[in-house]
Amino acid sequence: MTTFVLFGGTGDLAKRKIIPALYSAFVNGRLDSEFKFIGAAREALTHEEFRQRVSDSVNQYAGKVIGGSAEKLAAFLACTDYAKIDARVPEDFAVLKSSLHTSASNATLFYLATGPDIFIPVVEQLSKHGLVKGNARVVVEKPLGRDAQSAKEINQSLRNYLDEHQIYRIDHYLGKEMVQNLLALRFANSFLEPLWNRKWIQDVQISISEQVGVESRGDFYDHTGALRDMVQNHLLQLVSIVAMEPPVNANPDAIRDEKVKVLRALRKFTNEEVSKKTVRGQYRAGAVDGKPVIGYQAEPGVPPASRTETFVAIRAEIDNWRWAGVPFYLRTGKRMASRSAEITINFKPIPYSIFGQSQGPMRSNRLVITLQPEESVQLFMKAKEPGEGIRLSDVALNLDFAEASNLRRVESYERLLLDAMHGDLTLFVRDDELNAAWSWIDPIMNAWQNDSEGLKSYIAGSWGPAAASYLLAQHGAAWGEEYVES
Ligand code: BG6
């Protein structure tokens, strides 16, 4: 029997992501028959009132769940209860304990979808009430800390009450189908590995662009910024998977051992390098998809003179034998021209063209792994256009996953929740990974704090500040959308 206790059960993340994911797992028969869901938050709600919120969340955000129906929802709600819990009131945990069936055969998953300041008080109370023994696991949401020091303190405190194997640090990008496919692509095919290094690869680009702004999270976002919100976690996790050495097997620690080596090998920037190798921006009013949108400083919850970045581009380098000298260009931003998450491996150009210069500069081969909006892997090669003479054009060997398989797509939160329930840590972040990621981020953040001039602005609906293009152009490179195909 599995019991799922969701702290922050009335919050935004619960409503948009976690409850719909849980419902989808339920509809698809992935939860055991005695599954129980307890929402926990400070608000005084009856079970019925909470069930109504769960129902609203499913209706609003789980629209695409195949097989969902009013009957299924009623059955899901029948497994759902509510517990009013204030993290600082021990008696509340005693009440929670009385509603849990803690025994060796029962697994309890506590999901902390709250601010990080609540993590330790909650875990301390769970431990004091004997709730994190045996099969209990705890999922903690990002952001885990604000810098290396605070992340270390949180981790140390968590470890006072839990073993590392009980701690599931979630990064929902690791649950995306294509991220795992990247592991398959790299380590289940023979032809890529000989090319996957500095000898054949010119640069790697990882870009996550969003069209949304900060929505209802202005206050949170303004204290966080894009570097902490996206780069420290999602982008660096993608870097570690693209760049890691082959692990000895597919066990969680074998994979995480290799990922952490990459994060440790990321070259740390000096202050001077930060100004040359990073670009930060903030969006002004503009238009996204033809609709006018306000600027960041006018968003609710954001101070009018805010200097928080909503866009980041970085030229990173990995100091090891495989990658020395290969730039990893990282980019993410809100209110950009389109929503996409893409990893592009740009291979080196051919040494010499027998076809002459008449056809203009040729873009070299590239492998493009698209995580969203659609999932695909495309290998762009040069081929001859049909007809007289030789005219070259780009042709993609195209693995379109939506077309290639009609198996059900599992959304990232659902996959990660199920992994946590089954005790699979592969797609969760280990504490040493987190520390290594923060250690690389800290010097950037510190340099930015002391440089009041560095924040550029960009128009909402664009691809970010011009400086982000120059970051690549000065090295003869360009972001994917900047290429004009001849
Ligand atoms: C979250 C960030 O971790 O990821 C959000 O806090 C961001 O600001 C979101 O919008 C992006 O996730 P996805 O899966 O929509 O690309």
Side-chain angles (χ1 to χ4, degrees), residues 17 142 172-173 176 208 210 212-213 215 217 220-221 229-230 233-234 334 339 341 372 412-413:
K17 297 282 189 188
K142 64 172 262 284
H172 78 279
Y173 263 69
K176 292 192 190 272
I208 305 178
E210 298 187 89
V212 291
E215 299 184 293
R217 301 192 306 159
F220 159 82
Y221 193 87
D229 188 44
M230 297 293 287
N233 34 72
H234 306 325
K334 295 212 178 273
R339 173 177 183 254
Q372 56 197 32
S412 60
Y413 268 96

Side-chain angles (χ1 to χ4, degrees), residues 462-475:
S462 70
W463 282 103
S469 300
Y470 181 66
L471 184 72
L472 276 66
Q474 62 187 315
H475 300 284

Side-chain angles (χ1 to χ4, degrees), residues 97-247:
K97 184 174 184 177
S98 64
S99 61
L100 293 178
H101 301 278
T102 41
S103 75
S105 60
N106 294 336
T108 311
L109 187 67
F110 298 99
Y111 193 126
L112 310 192
T114 64
D117 48 326
I118 312 289
F119 291 169
I120 305 306
V122 169
V123 171
E124 184 186 351
Q125 287 305 326
L126 292 176
S127 167
K128 282 191 174 152
H129 288 83
L131 292 171
V132 287
K133 286 190 264 174
N135 270 342
R137 298 176 190 126
V138 177
V139 181
V140 285
E141 259 296 338
K142 64 172 262 284
L144 218 78
R146 291 187 56 73
D147 52 22
Q149 184 55 29
S150 57
K152 206 165 168 185
E153 283 166 15
I154 295 177
N155 276 323
Q156 269 166 0
S157 306
L158 286 175
R159 294 285 289 273
N160 288 340
Y161 304 107
L162 302 165
D163 289 332
E164 178 64 25
H165 70 84
Q166 292 180 292
I167 308 173
Y168 289 68
R169 297 177 193 82
I170 199 164
D171 182 317
H172 78 279
Y173 263 69
L174 292 180
K176 292 192 190 272
E177 184 69 24
M178 287 311 291
V179 174
Q180 292 158 79
N181 217 333
L182 190 56
L183 289 174
L185 200 70
R186 284 200 57 200
F187 303 124
N189 294 295
S190 61
F191 75 100
L192 278 176
E193 175 53 21
L195 307 179
W196 208 261
N197 56 49
R198 61 194 300 272
K199 199 165 166 203
W200 297 101
I201 293 178
Q202 181 87 356
D203 65 55
V204 175
Q205 300 185 7
I206 306 182
S207 170
I208 305 178
S209 57
E210 298 187 89
Q211 287 190 313
V212 291
V214 291
E215 299 184 293
S216 55
R217 301 192 306 159
D219 182 41
F220 159 82
Y221 193 87
D222 202 63
H223 288 95
T224 307
L227 188 68
R228 290 191 184 97
D229 188 44
M230 297 293 287
V231 182
Q232 183 275 333
N233 34 72
H234 306 325
L235 275 152
L236 290 189
Q237 283 296 318
L238 295 180
V239 169
S240 69
I241 292 182
V242 170
M244 71 200 254
E245 295 299 316

Side-chain angles (χ1 to χ4, degrees), residues 419-435:
D419 281 0
M421 285 182 201
H422 298 146
D424 184 344
L425 278 158
T426 313
L427 299 174
F428 293 85
V429 181
R430 208 167 56 186
D431 63 343
D432 52 358
E433 290 181 78
L434 192 75
N435 293 339

